[in-house]
Every structure is written in structure tokens, then in C-alpha cells.
Amino acid sequence: NAGVTQTPKFQVLKTGQSMTLQCAQDMNHEYMSWYRQDPGMGLRLIHYSVGAGITDQGEVPNGYNVSRSTTEDFPLRLLSAAPSQTSVYFCASSYALTGGEQYFGPGTRLTVT
Amino acid sequence: AQSVTQLDSQVPVFEEAPVELRCNYSSSVSVYLFWYVQYPNQGLQLLLKYLSGSTLVKGINGFEAEFNKSQTSFHLRKPSVHISDTAEYFCAVSEPGNTPLVFGKGTRLSVIA
């Protein structure tokens, strides 16, 4: 099993550009989530999904869109990148929303200039 | 809603010394508690978790944590640290039901030779 994979590993965007961060898992997990990690802020939840076709907002959803058309994939779209979105983004999956171990991808380091 | 406070942002400790990383949570109901570790330039991985039962939980790499309901704490301990334990450690909490995991801001453990 590859576990949770994320692409790209690094990305530089200009303000106003859009892009999609890809996330895929091969563990047949129903629950997937996106976090951003900023120094001194820990991990903050952006969006999450409890199954194909079902998504919900987390703590910091503004400026991001998600969709979940399959169990395996959970892409994160930045609609119009801003410098405040410079961060490291992690995707995670779990067999349960609560109580289950979350498996994290290796992260995408995004810089917006 | 649940929240997590990690009381120390940085903890330096000499090799082979004991260490305690402190975590307090806030919740109005019963909780599930987790400790995750993040090694440099990697994603997070689970160290241990408390769901129910014994309040002393043992995890990987010689770490353990004790759930204290009266003090709403879940401190992480290791009796003798190694250089390889240098990493960032995150405490996280979730409540039963459809509520996602909430992370603390992290504690950076630096083991000094």
C-alpha cells in the first residue's frame, strides 16, 4: 500500500493564480481531511469529508474548495492564491471520524508570492 | 467545542534524561485523546491514543501517556530520551460522534547530546 500520497511536494504561485493540491489514499478510508500547518499554529483543519459526495468546512475554509467524487481522492483547490496561504498542507485519511488513527501524507509546501 | 492546550512550545532535554510534554484539553463530554509525532520534513504519525479503559497508555518508541479526567490532562512521558526523539509532538482531541480531530499548537522536543 502507498498509504496517503500528495502531489506536488513543492509549489510556488503568484498572487491570484489558482491550483489544485492532489491527495489520494489506497486504504479504502471513508474519512479524509486537509490541514494547513503554520509555525506556532499547529495544524488547522481546512475541509473534511466523511465519504464520497459529502464534505464539510473546518476551522479555516476561506479561499479553499474541495470535492469528493471517489473514496480514494480528495483534491484541495485554491481559487485565487494569496500570500496568507503560504503554508505546508497535509492531507490525512482515517477509517473513522472520531477515535480512528489518522494517516498523513508527506505534505505540500506552498509559497505564494 | 473541544480544544487543546500544549503548555510548552519548546522543550530542550539532555540525552538519556526523562521528559514530560504537557497537554490539557477542554471538553464538555467524554473524549478521545491522541499524541502524534512529526519528524523534520515529514508528515505526522501516531504515537499513542486513549479511547477508553486503562488511563495509562503505552505507545511506540517507549513513550507513554496518562489520561487524567479530573485534571483534564494527557501528558506524554518517556523515561530516557534519545537524539532520534528530536521532533515536534502534537496532542489532539476528538469527541464521540461526527466531530473532527482538533490539534494543539505542538511542542518541539530538542534532545541535546
Side-chain angles (χ1 to χ4, degrees):
Chain A
N1 286 349
V4 179
T5 57
Q6 292 183 237
T7 55
K9 287 195 184 333
F10 302 94
Q11 183 71 49
V12 178
L13 289 178
K14 293 187 188 307
T15 297
Q17 288 184 315
S18 62
M19 79 160 294
T20 299
L21 307 185
Q22 301 291 345
C23 174
Q25 53 93 7
D26 61 359
M27 295 173 282
N28 202 31
H29 286 163
E30 288 296 321
Y31 175 59
M32 295 185 74
S33 57
W34 276 103
Y35 295 89
R36 59 177 289 173
Q37 182 179 25
D38 303 291
M41 300 295 292
L43 275 81
R44 292 182 291 170
L45 184 65
I46 304 171
H47 285 284
Y48 65 100
S49 169
V50 298
I54 307 169
T55 64
D56 206 348
Q57 296 181 351
E59 180 186 355
V60 288
N62 292 341
Y64 306 95
N65 268 359
V66 292
S67 60
R68 184 100 178 266
S69 56
T70 68
T71 299
E72 293 77 21
D73 300 299
F74 190 43
L76 178 72
R77 282 181 287 277
L78 279 69
L79 308 172
S80 176
S84 61
Q85 293 179 304
T86 293
S87 188
V88 181
Y89 292 84
F90 288 100
C91 178
S93 75
S94 175
Y95 60 84
L97 181 60
T98 57
E101 175 181 355
Q102 293 217 37
Y103 293 81
F104 284 82
T108 294
R109 187 173 294 273
L110 175 69
T111 302
V112 182
T113 62
Chain B
Q2 70 269 37
S3 66
V4 176
T5 301
Q6 291 186 244
L7 296 157
D8 305 295
S9 60
Q10 296 188 61
V11 173
V13 63
F14 286 104
E15 194 174 17
E16 297 183 8
V19 70
E20 178 180 82
L21 306 184
R22 297 180 293 168
C23 171
N24 284 91
Y25 68 92
S26 171
S27 173
S28 58
V29 298
S30 59
V31 294
Y32 300 135
L33 293 157
F34 305 79
W35 276 99
Y36 283 83
V37 60
Q38 184 182 32
Y39 298 107
N41 300 313
Q42 294 185 26
L44 280 71
Q45 57 183 276
L46 183 69
L47 265 182
L48 49 80
K49 64 182 178 182
Y50 170 80
L51 302 183
S52 65
S54 173
T55 57
L56 184 62
V57 180
K58 293 191 184 299
I60 61 171
N61 300 340
F63 283 93
E64 63 181 33
E66 185 157 20
F67 170 56
N68 188 320
K69 188 174 181 180
S70 62
Q71 297 190 3
T72 60
S73 67
F74 191 55
H75 300 334
L76 181 71
R77 301 184 183 102
K78 186 169 183 178
S80 175
V81 295
H82 302 131
I83 294 288
S84 59
D85 292 323
T86 294
E88 189 146 22
Y89 292 79
F90 293 93
C91 184
V93 62
S94 71
E95 296 175 345
N98 264 356
T99 59
L101 205 57
V102 173
F103 284 87
K105 294 189 189 307
T107 297
R108 186 172 298 278
L109 174 65
S110 299
V111 180
I112 305 160

